[in-house]
Amino acid sequence: MADSLPSTTARQKLAGAIKRWALDLGFQQAGITGTNLDTAERLWREWLQRGWHGEMEYMARHGSMRGRPDELFPGTLSIISVRIGYLPETSEAMWRVLNTPEAGYISRYALGRDYHKVVRQRLQRLAQKIQQAIGAFDYRVFCDSAPVLEKPLAQRAGLGWIGKHTNLIHRTAGSWFFLGEIYTDLDLPHDAPTRDHCGTCRACIEICPTGAIVAPYQLDARRCIAYLTIELRGSIPEPFRPLIGNRIYGCDDCQLVCPWNRFAQISAEQDFQPRHGLDHIGLIEALQWDEATFLHKTEGSAIRRIGYRQWLRNVAVALGNAPSHPEMRDALARKLATTDNAIVREHLSWALQRQSEP
């Protein structure tokens, strides 16, 4: 492919065009970097050695591919990294749900259409635009769908820095965005990496309900509410249950308190707007869903991946943390009487006991 872009000027012009086309397709920013992830790979291996990935066995699969793009997609010379904002509402609206114990809080990235599909489709369209301009080239698109160190790549491509909560932060856009990548054999000029601007701030560390941010830039996923409610398939350890509050799918607390998110803009993307009232769903309603209702309400959503029984498990924990109320006790007792799954029954029983305490 390099032969069709013989000069530095041609490569620079193409890189500039790619960034403009990305904006035309609805991305807020695009940057370009190379394949050297030596530091990020070392930190990732240290994280695995500590066991902080818990039951996320997929994080340890694929050997060194995660930190070596050329092994994942042979021939890769450049990586185009993009971001697209998904923030569906104001921070005040999110805090209202978190402070309403009868409602279930769902991480705001999951309220709309499954972002994997949205971002990959747009990346494919971006690749097609490049093909129209220069002819065929080798590429592969990713969005949280393969062993890719997407945040280090985005940081190296100038899209932001990895904050103390381990999310990517942009100075004028905050952190409420998705990332995606195109691995390509194009030899393109690289953007400058972004410097860290967290300073002495510890807001994300101090707000974390379960103490999952064990030190700046270090996350023990086994303690994270996102892990406990999404990735963990079995029983939620009992000491963590009261700390989960009314969060039934993921957690956004570290982003909500980040000072840089005062610059975040509400997304205009219809695909990321809340569906089926999931932005303020009542816990009793969520518990009363049968499996068919769950599948309907989460159709096309990232939430569906946890499955119906895990949904009930999470909702039961939230009900156990809510103020005692006869209607909640009745809902828990009815669901317990009609549920066979041992893990769901365990959490329903725990919640019912909590609701029955004086």
Side-chain angles (χ1 to χ4, degrees):
M1 193 64 250
D3 290 343
S4 63
L5 297 171
S7 70
T8 300
T9 300
R11 291 181 172 87
Q12 290 174 337
K13 287 180 65 176
L14 178 59
I18 289 170
K19 294 170 188 176
R20 292 194 302 274
W21 295 331
L23 297 180
D24 292 341
L25 289 168
F27 295 113
Q28 275 75 62
Q29 187 183 5
I32 300 170
T33 188
T35 61
N36 186 340
L37 289 171
D38 290 351
T39 300
E41 183 181 2
R42 175 179 58 80
L43 294 173
W44 164 63
R45 290 189 181 280
E46 290 175 359
W47 183 74
L48 290 175
Q49 288 168 1
R50 294 187 180 108
W52 286 353
H53 60 305
E55 295 183 9
M56 295 186 290
E57 295 178 0
Y58 60 86
M59 294 298 297
R61 292 187 204 136
H62 309 294
S64 55
M65 281 186 183
R66 195 174 295 272
R68 303 178 190 182
D70 187 62
E71 291 186 13
L72 176 60
F73 186 61
T76 299
L77 295 177
S78 301
I79 294 156
I80 302 164
S81 181
V82 299
R83 63 175 175 85
I84 183 169
Y86 66 82
L87 183 63
E89 61 186 3
T90 65
S91 60
E92 290 78 12
M94 288 184 264
W95 282 120
R96 277 197 297 273
V97 179
L98 282 168
N99 292 323
T100 304
E102 301 82 10
Y105 185 87
I106 293 172
S107 188
R108 272 27 200 168
Y109 82 85
L111 291 177
R113 188 179 173 212
D114 190 340
Y115 66 96
H116 301 86
K117 300 174 184 177
V118 175
V119 176
R120 281 202 301 266
Q121 287 172 1
R122 295 201 187 182
L123 285 172
Q124 186 65 39
R125 289 164 60 190
L126 178 57
Q128 289 167 355
K129 279 184 170 288
I130 300 171
Q131 282 186 326
Q132 291 168 5
I134 65 168
F137 70 101
D138 287 338
Y139 70 91
R140 187 172 169 188
V141 303
F142 300 105
C143 176
D144 197 18
S145 55
V148 173
L149 292 176
E150 61 178 8
K151 288 180 282 189
L153 285 170
Q155 189 269 336
R156 290 182 59 82
L159 270 59
W161 72 94
I162 298 173
K164 292 178 181 177
H165 49 22
T166 73
N167 293 312
L168 198 77
I169 305 173
H170 187 276
R171 289 191 72 171
T172 62
S175 62
W176 302 98
F177 49 75
F178 299 123
L179 297 172
E181 301 79 34
I182 300 178
Y183 281 29
T184 172
D185 67 341
L186 295 173
D187 183 12
L188 298 169
H190 301 165
D191 291 294
T194 305
R195 293 188 301 108
D196 188 305
H197 295 283
C198 283
T200 59
C201 180
R202 293 178 54 87
C204 60
I205 299 172
E206 294 167 0
I207 196 67
C208 181
T210 54
I213 308 171
V214 296
Y217 314 102
Q218 296 187 30
L219 178 75
D220 184 346
R222 298 170 301 177
R223 304 182 63 89
C224 180
I225 292 175
Y227 171 83
L228 295 169
T229 57
I230 300 171
E231 302 293 346
L232 182 65
R233 298 300 182 180
S235 178
I236 296 175
E238 202 161 323
F240 288 127
R241 295 178 195 176
L243 305 177
I244 289 174
N246 65 339
R247 301 165 186 84
I248 60 175
Y249 185 96
C251 179
D252 290 328
D253 288 32
C254 60
Q255 296 194 85
L256 277 166
V257 299
C258 178
W260 293 104
N261 270 327
R262 68 185 182 273
F263 300 118
Q265 299 293 313
I266 303 296
S267 174
E269 293 288 340
Q270 283 302 116
D271 282 327
F272 301 147
Q273 297 308 303
R275 300 191 291 182
H276 301 298
L278 290 172
D279 52 333
H280 52 76
I281 188 171
L283 291 174
I284 293 177
E285 176 192 348
L287 188 71
Q288 290 173 339
W289 285 0
D290 58 19
E291 188 164 10
T293 303
F294 169 79
L295 292 173
H296 170 67
K297 297 283 191 180
T298 60
E299 185 175 4
S301 161
I303 299 171
R304 184 180 276 198
R305 69 182 288 251
I306 69 171
Y308 176 60
R309 290 169 183 80
Q310 198 166 320
W311 170 264
L312 292 179
R313 180 201 67 178
N314 295 348
V315 175
V317 169
L319 281 164
N321 293 327
S324 181
H325 193 280
E327 192 176 353
M328 292 188 175
R329 291 194 293 274
D330 290 345
L332 286 163
R334 286 195 301 272
K335 185 61 72 172
L336 185 60
T338 59
T339 300
D340 295 328
N341 182 269
I343 291 176
V344 177
R345 289 183 61 84
E346 174 198 343
H347 291 77
L348 289 168
S349 298
W350 176 85
L352 189 56
Q353 181 180 357
R354 298 256 298 183
Q355 277 285 324
S356 302
E357 291 173 353

